[in-house]
Amino acid sequence: NTKEVIMEIVLPIIDQKKCTLCGACVEQCGAHSLAIMEQHIVFVQPEKCTYCGDCEAVCPQGAIRVEYEITW
């Protein structure tokens, strides 16, 4: 029997309505996961996102939210 392991990529949530496209999150992202494309912030390399929360911390509009779920 082989078990299939499905890993769901969890990404920060971007509120495009609050975003002013300042680019602070793109510059701060050490994983180079974010980019500005077609007037939106998008995850161009979502698999590289480390979920560090730096993008949330630098967003002056509070447009990025990193949600954590603590499980035991």
Side-chain angles (χ1 to χ4, degrees), residues 2-72:
T2 8
K3 287 186 179 181
E4 185 178 326
V5 177
I6 299 172
M7 301 234 353
E8 182 181 338
I9 297 174
V10 179
L11 297 171
I13 298 164
I14 302 170
D15 185 338
Q16 299 292 346
K17 291 179 183 174
K18 287 184 180 179
C19 178
T20 61
L21 299 173
C22 71
C25 59
V26 175
E27 291 177 23
Q28 186 66 35
C29 182
H32 307 289
S33 185
L34 293 167
I36 298 174
M37 295 180 71
E38 299 179 12
Q39 301 300 306
H40 292 89
I41 298 293
V42 296
F43 285 93
V44 289
Q45 298 184 74
E47 70 283 356
K48 291 190 174 186
C49 177
T50 62
Y51 215 64
C52 66
D54 289 348
C55 57
E56 178 184 42
V58 299
C59 180
Q61 302 302 317
I64 301 179
R65 189 174 74 246
V66 179
E67 292 186 342
Y68 293 95
E69 182 179 332
I70 299 173
T71 58
W72 297 99

